[in-house]
Amino acid sequence: IGRLMAQLLLVNGCQVTMTLRQYKSKEVIIPQGCNAISYDSRYDVLNDMDFIFSATLSPHYTIQFDEFRNNIT
């Protein structure tokens, strides 16, 4: 779902940055034209983003509210 959303945003002229948590267990496919950042850096770029979408099978949150609030200026 995340890859599909990224591709649709790119086709419509958006600038897209992706992060992936699992690099070792599966083949990583980032659509051509997307920027990629490490998962550990996700909070560092929040101020540069207009929208944040999360698509995961994980039962855990990918962004915690307190960390989000502490990293927004």
Side-chain angles (χ1 to χ4, degrees):
I1 295 297
R3 192 177 318 125
L4 176 61
M5 177 175 259
Q7 290 170 333
L8 290 171
L9 289 168
L10 285 168
V11 166
N12 285 285
C14 297
Q15 187 175 18
V16 179
T17 300
M18 291 182 72
T19 184
L20 300 169
R21 286 196 287 180
Q22 295 183 351
Y23 290 105
K24 297 175 185 169
S25 64
K26 297 180 182 178
E27 183 179 322
V28 176
I29 301 172
I30 296 176
Q32 186 174 0
C34 284
N35 299 314
I37 59 166
S38 70
Y39 182 75
D40 293 336
S41 299
R42 67 196 184 281
Y43 291 108
D44 297 337
V45 299
L46 290 177
N47 285 312
D48 300 329
M49 302 297 137
D50 292 322
F51 299 96
I52 300 169
F53 301 96
S54 178
T56 181
L57 294 174
S58 172
H60 304 82
Y61 294 109
T62 55
I63 296 180
Q64 299 289 329
F65 177 74
D66 288 338
E67 287 293 323
F68 177 82
R69 181 177 51 196
N70 291 337
N71 285 280
I72 294 295
T73 56

